[in-house]
Amino acid sequence: MFVPLKWLKDYVDIDHMDVRKLSEDLEMSGSKVEAVEVLGEEIDKVVVGKILEIQRHPNADKLLVTKVDVGSEIIQIVTGADNIQEGHYVPIVLVGGTLPGGVKIKKGKLRGEESSGMMCSAKELGLVDKVIPAYQKDGIYILDQAYTPGDDIKGILGIKGHVIEFEITPNRPDCLSMLGMARETAATFNLDMNYPEIKINHEHGNIEEVASVEVLNTDFCRRYAARAATDIVIKPSPEWMQRRLMEAGVRPISNIVDITNYVMLEMGQPLHAFDLNMLTDKKIIVKQAEEGSVFTTLDGTERKLDSSMLMICDGEKPVAIAGVMGGENSEVTDETRAILLESANFYNDNVRATSKKLGLRTEASARFEKGVDPNIALNAVNRACQLIEELGAGKIVGGIIDIYPNKLEKRSLKARPQRINDLLGTKLSPEEISNILQKLEIEVSQDEEGLLLAIPTFRQDITEEIDIVEEVARIYGYNRIDVTIPKGNSQGAKTNGQIIEDYAKKYLNAAGVTEISTYSFVSPKGFDMIGLPEESFMRRSVKLINPLGEENSIMRTTLMPNMLEVLSRNNNRNVESVKAFEIGRVFLPHSIPVDQLPIEKPVLTLGMYGQNIDFFTMKGTIESVFHNLGIQNIAFTPEKNHPTFHPGRCANLVWENHILGVIGEIHPDVAENYDLEVRTYLGEIDFNIVLQITRLDRIYKALPKYPAITRDIALVVKDEVYVKQIEDIIKENGGKLLEQVQLFDVYKGKQIKEGYKSVAYALTYRGEDRTLTDEEVVKVHDKILNQLKEKLDAQLRD
Amino acid sequence: MREKLEQIKTLALEEIVKAQSMQELEQVRIKYLGKKGELTAVLRGMGGLSQEERPIVGQIANEVREAIENSLGSAVEGVKAIEKNARLAVETIDVTMPGKSQEIGHRHPLNVVLDEIKGIFMGMGFKIAEGPEVETVFYNFDALNAPQNHPSRDLSDTFYISEDILLRTQTSPVQVRTMERSKPPIRVISPGRCFRRDTPDATHSPMFHQIEGLVVDKNITMADLKGTLDLFAKQFFGVGTKTKFRPHYFPFTEPSAEVDVSCFKCQGAGCRVCKGSGWIEILGAGMVHPNVLKVCGIDPEVYSGFAFGMGLDRIAMLKHEIDDIRLFFENDMRFIKQF
C-alpha cells in the first residue's frame, strides 16, 4: 500500500512531523514500513519550457531543432521527439540539471546543431511504466495547460514530498485506504481525524427513472448500491488527481475511471462505472454465471466462467465479474455519455475463489477478498458523485439505489482490564485502556465486569477479547512493555535419544567423518540408480501430490542415493577425498495410497572415497564409533546379493542376530550411474536400533597388575576360510586367560600352497589375579591349536 | 712395583684424556682395569710382596684404581655430552615442513548453529521436542488457528501427500503435539525441517529449518516473552545486542510481534548485512492464541503462554555471511569444512 504523505495530510495533521519519526512510530503501532520514497530527490534544474518554434534538422531526417522559452532565456534544443507542437508546454532539463538514475545534462552539438538542454518524458521524470497514462507513455511529457516558462517542474507536477510503502497484514483490510492509514496515524499520534465532507450540489431527475437493480443471489452479494450521472464528458483527470493516483501506484486512464480509483484508494470501497447506454434495459441483475459461458473482461481477455462465479448482468448478458473486473461490453469509453456507478459489497470467500480460478487479481478483488466494510458503500458512491461534479465530468442524477438486506451492525464485546494487564504484564488503568480504544474509534462504556465495547464495522478483525488485548498492546507500545523472565524452575534437558545422537556425531567427527544434510524429498530415479529391483520394498514410498519436479517428488526411504549424489558432486568438483555421514529420517508408508502418517525413522548413512580409503576404512570407522557408544559384539557377515554393492566386498552389520545395516564398495554399475570413477564405499545403518543398544554408562575395570604372555601363531588355511571363523574358534577356546587376539599378517605366495593362505595372529594371555605359568598357557594354547586343526584343518606353519 | 703403579696411573690418565669416544674409553678401562688389565695384573702380583710392603702397595694400588676410575667417570660424562650434542645436531629437522594432518570431521554448519541455539535455550530451562516432518493438515493448520482460506494452505504453497496429509510448513505442529501430550508448565524448543513450495534460489529453498519455542504456564506475560528473546539475542549475538518488537499478525498468536535485533556486524550503525537499517529481522513471536490453547485442552483462563519461531538457515546465513541458501544442501566439502 503506497501512501503519499500529501494525500494523508488531507485527513490528519502531520505537517509538523518528521518523516522518519512518522514511519518509525507507525511501524511500532503495527503498520510495517517497506520503504520511504523521496519524490523528485534526483530531479534538479528541470523547468517548464514553452516551445516557440520547431524546424527540421538540416543534417538529420529524424531530428528536430527547436527554440524553447525557459523563462530566463530562449534556448535551442535538438530532439528526436515526434509528439511535440509549437505552443506546447513541456519539462526541460537545463544544462547542469539532473534526472533520476544519475543522468546529468551537458551542453552539446547534435549533427552540427547546438543543443542546450533536454525535453523529458514521463519515464525520465522517474515515473514507473505501470502508472504512466497511455497518452503520456511515448514521447515528451506534454503539460495539460499553460504555465509560466522557467517555473520549477517539481512544483508544477507536485513531484515532491514522500511516499511511504506499507505492508498491510491480511487481518487489516481497513488499512488498504488513505482513510484507514489516516485513522492509524491519528491513533498512533493521538491526533484528530478529518473525514472529507461529502456534498453534492446539484442533482437532477431520479435514478429510478433511468436504471434498476435486482440482486438474485444474496449469499454472495451483501449490498448493492448505485447512482447515475449523465452529460458525461470524458477527458483526462486533472494533474493533481493523476499525480496522486500515480504516486499510489495506479495508472490514470480518464476522469471517470480515475474518480472510481481515487475513491477506492481514499476510502477502500471498490467502485465500478458502467456505460449506462450499453446496459440492455438499463438494468442490473446480480446472479451466478452460466456454467461454461465465456466473458471478455475490460483487459480484452476472454474468461471461461462457471456457475460458482457471481456476475453483474444487464437485461440480457453479463457485464462484470462481481468484485473482480468489469466487462469490455460496458466499459467507459471516450463516447460514454451516461454512467451507472456501482458501489457494492461482495462476500470475501466467493471473490477469492473466483479470482483464484480465473487467475485474475485486481485492486478490487484484493480488497473484497480480505473484506470491505459494507457500511461505507453509500459514502463512497456519493464521494464519487461529488468528484464528478467538482471536476465537471458530468451531472448527477438524484436518488440512490441501495439493496442491503442484512445490515452489518457494530459488534458488542466485553474486555476485562485485569485480563489485559495479566497477559501483557502491564498495570494499565481501565481509563488508560478506554482512552486507547477510543482513539481507535471503539465506543467504550464500563460496568462492574469490565469494559463494554462497540466495534466499528470497518474493524471486522476484532471479534474477541484477545483482539482487544492486541489493540491495547500495539497502541500503548510494545516497547513500553516490561522485560522480565518467566518464573518457575523448569530444567532444560535433552532426551536420551538426542544425547546418543550427539555422541554418535561427535565420535564420527573424531573419526574424520564430516556431516552432510540432504533433502528429505528425492527422485524415484534414485531407486534405479542404486540398482534396486522392481519389487524391492524400499520402492514403497510416500509420494507428493504437487512436487516442484520429479527430482523432489517422493519422500526418501533410504539416504543412499542422497549420499552417492553428494559424493559424485564432490568428485566432479575435484575434491580428492571425502568421508561423509548423515543422520536423517526415512519415511516408510503403512499403506499405499498413504492414508495415515508414515513411519519416520532415523538412519545413519556413510559414504567415502579417496586415497588410502577402502572397505576396511569404513568398517573400522563403524567399529570405533560403535565401541565408543558401548555397543559390543557387532559382526560383519559377507553379503553377496545386495544389488547396490560389489558382491565380493559387501557385508551386513550384525548385532546379536539383528541386521543393523549394510556396508560395502558400491557396484560398478552403480558407480557408473553416479559418474564415480573412484572406488566408493557406502553404508547405511538403522539408527533407531543404534539408539536402543547404545550403552553410555561405564563401569571401571581394574588395570592389569600381572604380566602378559604373548604367543604368535601362523596358520595355513584354505583361501575360502574367513578370518572371522579362525578368530571365533580362538576366542571360544581361549577362555578367561585369553586377553586379546590380533591379526598381524595374511600372506599368499611362495612357500604357501596354491589355494591356501597363511594367517598370523598374536595371542595375548593374562591372569587377572596371578602371573601365569608356562604350563597354564600351553594348555589353553594347545587346545586352541587343536580345535583350529580339527574344525578348519588349519596347519601350524613352521 | 711402586714405580710400576705410578707409571700405569700416568699412562692410563693420558690415554683417558686422549680418548674421543665411549668405545675408546671402554678400551682404556679394559686395558687397565679389566680382568686381564694391567692394574689387575699388578694386583695379582702382590702375592710376592712382603707382609710389610703389602698394605702399603695395596693402598697405592687402590689409589691408582680410584684415580683411574674417577678420571674415566668424568671422561665418560664428557664424551656422553659430546655424543648427545652431536646426535642432536644430526637430528635437527626443518620444523617448517608441513604437519601430518589428522583429519577431524566437521559438523554441518546448520547444526553448528543449531547446537549453539539449543544450548542457550537449555540454559533457560527449555527441553527439546521433535515431531514428524510428514504431518496432518489438522496439526499444521487447523489446530494453529489458520483460517480455512489462508493462502498458505494452497497447493501452490504447501506440499501435499493427500487431502489430509502434508509436509509440515512450520515446526509449530510440534508445539500442538507437545501441549496435547503434556500438562503445563511447558517449556520447549522444537527445531526441525520444514517444507514450502518455493522454487530454489539464493534465498529460498523448498526445504529449510525452523526453531520454534513454546512456554505455557500460569501468569506468563508478554513481558516474559520480551525478556526471554532479549536474553537469547544477547547470548547468541553478543551482550550489546538490542531487540525491537514490532506488532505483526500471525494466526497462531495474539498479540503477535516481529522481532528485530540490532545488527551484530555493525552494532546498529548500518552496514551491508542489515542493509543500512541497523536492524535485522530474525524472529516471529507472540502470545499463544486462546483458541490454540483450547484445541490442545488447556484452559486459556488459567494458563497463558508465548511462542516464537526463527529460521535456522537464515540465522546461519547472517552469522556466517553465507550468500546462497543452496550451499547448505549441496554439501560441497570445501563449504562444510569451513565450519
Side-chain angles (χ1 to χ4, degrees):
Chain A
M1 174 79 193
F2 294 94
V3 177
L5 292 190
K6 57 175 165 284
W7 196 343
L8 197 64
K9 280 175 190 167
D10 284 2
Y11 320 112
V12 61
D13 181 14
I14 49 168
D15 270 332
H16 57 285
M17 212 174 285
D18 174 57
V19 176
R20 199 185 157 97
K21 161 110 180 125
L22 181 78
S23 61
E24 277 178 6
D25 287 11
L26 278 172
E27 180 151 278
M28 291 308 287
S29 71
S31 304
K32 188 177 184 181
V33 174
E34 289 279 322
V36 179
E37 191 194 345
V38 186
L39 295 170
E41 203 178 13
E42 296 176 289
I43 298 178
D44 188 37
K45 285 197 183 162
V46 183
V47 300
V48 174
K50 184 181 180 186
I51 301 174
L52 301 176
E53 189 189 301
I54 302 177
Q55 285 186 337
R56 294 224 154 275
H57 192 291
N59 306 318
D61 285 351
K62 292 195 173 158
L63 292 180
L64 301 172
V65 181
T66 64
K67 294 275 188 294
V68 182
D69 179 0
V70 291
S72 55
E73 57 181 325
I74 291 170
I75 57 174
Q76 174 168 302
I77 293 176
V78 179
T79 176
D82 56 4
N83 67 327
I84 49 169
Q85 291 171 16
E86 288 174 3
H88 272 163
Y89 291 83
V90 297
I92 302 290
V93 200
L94 300 175
V95 170
T98 55
L99 288 174
V103 179
K104 193 164 176 148
I105 304 302
K106 285 184 248 167
K107 198 171 187 150
K109 272 188 180 176
L110 278 166
R111 296 271 183 119
E113 287 292 322
E114 256 190 26
S115 186
S116 315
M118 190 183 102
M119 301 180 184
C120 27
S121 65
K123 200 171 174 180
E124 282 160 338
L125 286 171
L127 294 171
V128 290
D129 263 344
K130 183 175 140 253
V131 301
I132 299 172
Y135 65 92
Q136 292 284 24
K137 212 159 186 167
D138 303 311
I140 302 303
Y141 191 111
I142 312 292
L143 298 174
D144 65 338
Q145 61 180 81
Y147 294 97
T148 312
D151 279 3
D152 190 341
I153 200 75
K154 289 202 272 184
I156 303 283
L157 293 180
I159 312 176
K160 59 181 176 187
H162 297 82
V163 178
I164 303 183
E165 185 188 357
F166 292 101
E167 179 199 327
I168 306 296
T169 52
N171 59 328
R172 293 300 304 277
D174 61 300
C175 288
L176 293 171
S177 65
M178 299 305 153
L179 281 176
M181 286 314 300
R183 278 193 296 257
E184 280 297 303
T185 310
T188 304
F189 295 97
N190 203 12
L191 301 170
D192 292 330
M193 266 301 282
N194 310 313
Y195 282 97
E197 191 191 339
I198 301 171
K199 206 172 110 197
I200 300 161
N201 288 322
H202 302 286
E203 295 179 2
H204 67 91
N206 193 300
I207 191 165
E208 309 279 345
E209 298 153 16
V210 296
S212 67
V213 175
E214 205 179 334
V215 177
L216 297 182
N217 184 327
T218 51
D219 289 339
F220 294 165
C221 177
R222 184 170 214 161
R223 184 175 196 178
Y224 201 101
R227 292 202 67 155
T230 59
D231 302 274
I232 297 296
V233 184
I234 299 293
K235 58 183 176 184
S237 55
E239 291 283 356
W240 67 265
M241 182 176 276
Q242 291 198 21
R243 194 71 219 168
R244 284 188 174 193
L245 292 176
M246 287 192 281
E247 286 172 12
V250 173
R251 167 185 293 167
I253 310 282
S254 68
N255 50 1
I256 295 298
V257 177
D258 291 357
I259 286 167
T260 60
N261 284 330
Y262 186 87
V263 173
M264 176 183 69
L265 290 171
E266 181 182 51
M267 309 183 79
Q269 169 69 54
L271 298 176
H272 184 65
F274 294 102
D275 186 328
L276 186 54
N277 294 325
M278 302 305 286
L279 297 179
T280 305
D281 305 335
K282 307 270 191 284
K283 192 172 185 178
I284 290 288
I285 303 167
V286 183
K287 61 180 181 189
Q288 281 149 268
E290 272 175 45
E291 184 73 39
S293 57
V294 170
F295 179 68
T296 306
T297 43
L298 54 75
D299 57 359
T301 309
E302 266 197 6
R303 314 274 174 183
K304 203 157 176 260
L305 307 177
D306 69 44
S307 60
S308 73
M309 299 174 180
L310 189 68
M311 301 299 292
I312 312 300
C313 307
D314 65 8
E316 61 170 12
K317 62 186 182 297
V319 290
I321 304 171
V324 182
M325 194 181 260
E328 204 174 39
N329 56 13
S330 57
E331 72 173 318
V332 171
T333 66
D334 289 352
E335 281 69 50
T336 298
R337 294 294 167 257
I339 58 166
L340 185 78
L341 269 176
E342 165 198 289
S343 181
N345 194 286
F346 305 105
Y347 286 99
N348 44 3
D349 286 347
N350 184 252
V351 174
R352 181 182 304 107
T354 302
S355 159
K356 203 171 144 190
K357 269 184 224 161
L358 295 174
L360 178 61
R361 220 157 168 272
T362 59
E363 292 272 350
S365 73
R367 284 174 173 78
F368 280 124
E369 67 179 44
K370 293 194 182 87
V372 174
D373 177 9
N375 292 336
I376 62 172
L378 291 191
N379 266 349
V381 74
N382 287 334
R383 176 74 168 151
C385 289
Q386 174 188 16
L387 289 169
I388 289 172
E389 192 176 73
E390 280 178 13
L391 267 47
K395 290 181 180 166
I396 308 303
V397 176
I400 304 177
I401 293 171
D402 184 16
I403 298 168
Y404 188 16
N406 298 304
K407 185 172 191 303
L408 180 69
E409 303 289 352
K410 286 188 176 183
R411 179 179 275 117
S412 314
L413 215 56
K414 281 184 184 170
R416 295 161 293 174
Q418 182 62 43
R419 169 82 171 156
I420 294 171
N421 285 320
D422 283 351
L423 280 173
L424 298 180
T426 48
K427 296 189 179 70
L428 298 169
S429 69
E431 287 66 38
E432 285 173 285
I433 291 170
S434 299
N435 285 340
I436 287 172
L437 296 176
Q438 279 161 358
K439 282 196 224 173
L440 294 163
E441 302 187 23
I442 294 170
E443 291 164 28
V444 186
S445 57
Q446 263 196 63
D447 68 5
E448 307 85 62
E449 284 178 34
L451 305 176
L452 293 173
L453 312 174
I455 311 298
T457 51
F458 59 79
R459 290 302 304 275
Q460 292 188 53
D461 58 309
I462 301 180
T463 61
E464 50 191 328
E465 189 182 38
I466 194 69
D467 300 322
I468 295 298
V469 176
E470 179 171 62
E471 292 302 304
V472 172
R474 71 184 184 91
I475 299 300
Y476 174 69
Y478 283 11
N479 51 345
R480 291 168 69 192
I481 293 173
D482 272 353
V483 175
T484 56
I485 294 294
K487 288 156 210 70
N489 54 353
S490 115
Q491 283 185 330
K494 286 182 182 169
T495 62
N496 218 20
Q498 288 160 352
I499 291 168
I500 293 169
E501 186 175 326
D502 283 353
Y503 270 111
K505 289 182 174 181
K506 189 170 89 175
Y507 297 140
L508 281 159
N509 280 166
V513 193
T514 289
E515 186 182 28
I516 63 168
S517 176
T518 62
Y519 280 168
S520 299
F521 36 40
V522 295
S523 166
K525 285 205 184 106
F527 297 138
D528 302 332
M529 308 247 306
I530 62 168
L532 290 187
E534 283 305 320
E535 66 281 5
S536 167
F537 70 96
M538 276 163 92
R539 286 181 181 262
R540 280 168 44 94
S541 64
V542 176
K543 289 183 179 56
L544 271 59
I545 292 175
N546 56 337
L548 282 174
E550 202 210 11
E551 69 276 15
N552 302 127
S553 62
I554 60 165
M555 300 306 285
R556 60 193 184 184
T557 59
T558 162
L559 272 60
M560 291 198 290
N562 302 41
M563 177 58 77
L564 288 172
E565 230 172 75
V566 169
L567 294 178
S568 169
R569 184 175 302 128
N570 277 281
N571 186 47
N572 280 334
R573 293 178 182 180
N574 298 319
V575 176
E576 272 180 31
S577 157
V578 174
K579 289 179 177 180
F581 78 93
E582 177 171 9
I583 296 177
R585 296 182 192 180
V586 294
F587 302 82
L588 310 174
H590 290 281
S591 59
I592 288 183
V594 174
D595 55 3
Q596 54 178 310
L597 295 186
I599 297 165
E600 295 187 18
K601 140 183 135 157
V603 301
L604 162 62
T605 302
L606 290 135
M608 299 177 180
Y609 71 77
Q611 251 203 327
N612 302 323
I613 288 174
D614 60 20
F615 177 89
F616 299 103
T617 312
M618 178 164 288
K619 178 175 171 179
T621 302
I622 291 168
E623 285 171 331
S624 303
V625 171
F626 274 46
H627 174 79
N628 275 15
L629 289 175
I631 302 171
Q632 316 233 319
N633 303 327
I634 57 163
F636 292 83
T637 59
E639 165 62 59
K640 297 187 177 301
N641 297 313
H642 197 300
T644 308
F645 295 95
H646 187 309
R649 295 182 173 189
C650 176
N652 285 320
L653 170 58
V654 181
W655 178 84
E656 296 189 355
N657 297 325
H658 299 285
I659 294 182
L660 304 193
V662 61
I663 70 164
E665 181 179 326
I666 58 169
H667 196 283
D669 294 345
V670 175
E672 200 173 298
N673 290 339
Y674 285 95
D675 193 22
L676 278 160
E677 283 161 12
V678 287
R679 288 191 183 266
T680 300
Y681 303 90
L682 182 68
E684 186 155 281
I685 297 166
D686 185 330
F687 199 69
N688 234 1
I689 306 185
V690 173
L691 291 176
Q692 289 162 39
I693 62 179
T694 292
R695 295 288 172 266
L696 293 175
D697 47 325
R698 297 285 186 268
I699 290 172
Y700 157 77
K701 196 177 154 202
L703 302 179
K705 285 195 194 101
Y706 301 94
I709 295 174
T710 303
R711 292 265 190 280
D712 289 353
I713 52 171
L715 301 161
V716 176
V717 292
K718 279 196 180 130
D719 260 349
E720 58 266 27
V721 172
Y722 289 109
V723 291
K724 172 87 168 42
Q725 292 173 277
I726 303 173
E727 280 173 30
D728 284 348
I729 291 171
I730 294 175
K731 283 180 187 163
E732 248 168 60
N733 295 285
K736 271 171 94 178
L737 299 188
L738 181 69
E739 188 182 65
Q740 200 184 30
V741 185
Q742 207 166 12
L743 175 75
F744 68 85
D745 187 40
V746 178
Y747 175 76
K748 276 167 71 97
K750 266 189 198 164
Q751 300 157 0
I752 305 292
K753 245 193 302 180
E754 183 77 17
Y756 285 80
K757 61 186 172 188
S758 156
V759 186
Y761 284 96
L763 276 56
T764 307
Y765 297 95
R766 196 196 298 269
E768 238 174 72
D769 51 356
R770 63 190 188 280
T771 303
L772 297 179
T773 61
D774 239 13
E775 297 83 71
E776 282 179 290
V777 173
V778 167
K779 204 174 140 196
V780 178
H781 198 68
D782 285 350
K783 186 178 161 204
I784 290 172
L785 295 177
N786 285 334
Q787 287 295 310
L788 285 169
K789 187 169 181 189
E790 193 173 302
K791 297 204 166 133
L792 297 176
D793 193 24
Q795 301 294 328
L796 205 55
R797 203 179 152 205
D798 338 293
Chain B
M1 195 141 226
R2 229 176 255 203
E3 294 78 41
K4 177 89 176 161
L5 281 170
E6 284 304 326
Q7 199 188 353
I8 287 172
K9 181 179 167 187
T10 313
L11 284 172
L13 293 184
E14 266 172 28
E15 283 180 41
I16 288 168
V17 171
K18 277 189 212 150
Q20 293 294 315
S21 67
M22 292 297 287
Q23 207 184 347
E24 284 173 35
L25 284 173
E26 182 62 10
Q27 277 165 9
V28 174
R29 189 188 68 78
I30 292 164
K31 180 174 174 192
Y32 294 98
L33 304 179
K35 277 184 189 166
K36 294 173 185 168
E38 291 181 22
L39 185 62
T40 318
V42 171
L43 291 173
R44 275 202 195 112
M46 273 181 37
L49 291 177
S50 65
Q51 286 286 9
E52 295 77 33
E53 271 183 313
R54 213 180 275 170
I56 299 159
V57 173
Q59 196 185 343
I60 295 168
N62 275 332
E63 280 166 14
V64 169
R65 168 194 283 272
E66 224 165 88
I68 294 172
E69 278 178 348
N70 285 343
S71 175
L72 262 176
S74 51
V76 164
E77 287 307 312
V79 169
K80 263 191 186 166
I82 290 165
E83 287 196 345
K84 194 189 281 170
N85 285 337
R87 196 183 85 213
L88 292 179
V90 169
E91 285 178 359
T92 298
I93 55 167
D94 179 355
V95 294
T96 65
M97 297 269 284
K100 290 178 187 165
S101 81
Q102 304 302 309
E103 202 191 349
I104 297 170
H106 294 252
R107 290 300 297 278
H108 192 275
L110 286 173
N111 285 333
V112 174
V113 176
L114 176 59
D115 282 352
E116 194 184 337
I117 294 174
K118 277 181 186 169
I120 293 171
F121 281 108
M122 280 172 59
M124 290 196 263
F126 284 74
K127 292 187 169 63
I128 297 161
E130 286 162 311
E133 292 173 29
V134 179
E135 255 298 359
T136 62
V137 170
F138 173 79
Y139 281 110
N140 195 73
F141 289 125
D142 301 346
L144 291 161
N145 210 31
Q148 279 304 326
N149 49 37
H150 199 274
S152 64
R153 290 176 181 253
D154 289 353
L155 276 166
S156 58
D157 288 39
T158 297
F159 292 111
Y160 282 88
I161 305 295
S162 73
E163 211 171 298
D164 314 311
I165 299 176
L166 43 66
L167 300 191
R168 69 177 176 196
T169 61
Q170 46 195 4
T171 47
S172 320
V174 183
Q175 307 189 3
V176 178
R177 287 175 179 275
T178 305
M179 285 190 275
E180 277 183 347
R181 230 185 7 236
S182 41
K183 291 203 168 71
I186 293 170
R187 217 179 270 203
V188 293
I189 58 164
S190 50
R193 294 180 162 194
C194 303
F195 307 85
R196 288 184 195 169
R197 221 169 158 279
D198 288 326
T199 309
D201 62 23
T203 53
H204 294 88
S205 169
M207 185 185 95
F208 60 100
H209 297 76
Q210 271 193 347
I211 305 165
E212 298 209 3
L214 173 74
V215 172
V216 180
D217 201 351
K218 287 178 180 158
N219 305 317
I220 294 294
T221 69
M222 188 143 174
D224 293 334
L225 165 64
K226 284 183 69 181
T228 301
L229 294 183
D230 194 67
L231 193 61
F232 162 71
K234 285 184 166 58
Q235 290 200 30
F236 187 76
F237 294 112
V239 278
T241 307
K242 296 188 205 58
T243 49
K244 183 161 86 176
F245 289 73
R246 289 178 287 102
H248 199 70
Y249 169 75
F250 304 113
F252 173 56
T253 51
E254 186 162 12
S256 301
E258 280 185 336
V259 186
D260 298 341
V261 295
S262 54
C263 180
F264 49 86
K265 293 283 177 207
C266 64
Q267 273 68 46
C271 67
R272 197 167 49 86
V273 173
C274 60
K275 298 193 181 94
S277 71
W279 294 96
I280 300 175
E281 182 192 321
I282 58 153
L283 280 145
M287 302 301 292
V288 180
H289 199 289
N291 293 349
V292 176
L293 292 174
K294 266 184 244 166
V295 167
C296 301
I298 295 173
D299 183 353
E301 289 290 319
V302 180
Y303 294 101
S304 55
F306 63 77
F308 56 86
M310 59 190 128
L312 176 61
D313 317 69
R314 181 175 147 71
I315 288 178
M317 287 171 80
L318 285 168
K319 182 153 187 166
H320 299 296
E321 296 186 46
I322 296 165
D323 55 7
D324 195 326
I325 193 171
R326 288 169 294 195
L327 285 166
F328 288 130
F329 309 112
E330 275 184 5
N331 298 294
D332 189 314
M333 289 296 140
R334 296 165 300 178
F335 172 73
I336 298 179
K337 288 186 175 181
Q338 293 177 27
F339 302 94

